[in-house]
Amino acid sequence: EELSSYISTSMAIHRDTLVIGYENGSLALLDITNKKLIATYRAGEDPVTAITSDNSGKIWIGTKGSGLYCLHNNNLLQYTTTE
């Protein structure tokens, strides 16, 4: 499936990267300078509702039902209320 077929629910710019969250839990990272897709990730099955980044380069992703995710060094980690 193409990501363009889903509605984007959240966007943020981190350095030269546009991070787009979708209603199906997908994330797309796009290089703004070269206008190319860098990577895609899956943050659960629920809509991505918020994206932000911190000073250490981590990208934080909030979802509606699947918890909080952190993308750092090409690893997507999930945080839930039990952690």
Side-chain angles (χ1 to χ4, degrees):
E1 288 180 85
E2 291 186 27
L3 288 176
S4 62
S5 65
Y6 292 97
I7 297 171
S8 65
T9 55
S10 182
M11 289 187 222
I13 295 177
H14 174 71
R15 298 184 182 142
D16 291 333
T17 302
L18 176 64
V19 183
I20 305 171
Y22 293 90
E23 67 181 0
N24 69 343
S26 295
L27 294 166
L29 278 66
L30 302 167
D31 182 316
I32 296 170
T33 305
N34 298 317
K35 299 178 183 173
K36 294 193 180 216
L37 180 67
I38 298 169
T40 59
Y41 295 92
R42 189 65 178 229
E45 301 291 324
D46 298 306
V48 173
T49 57
I51 302 171
T52 192
S53 61
D54 63 23
N55 292 335
S56 68
K58 295 176 183 171
I59 299 172
W60 294 92
I61 300 103
T63 66
K64 184 178 181 181
S66 294
L68 179 70
Y69 289 80
C70 179
L71 179 60
H72 187 63
N73 294 330
N74 298 319
N75 292 314
L76 186 64
L77 302 173
Q78 182 181 25
Y79 294 88
T80 62
T81 56
T82 59
E83 297 178 272

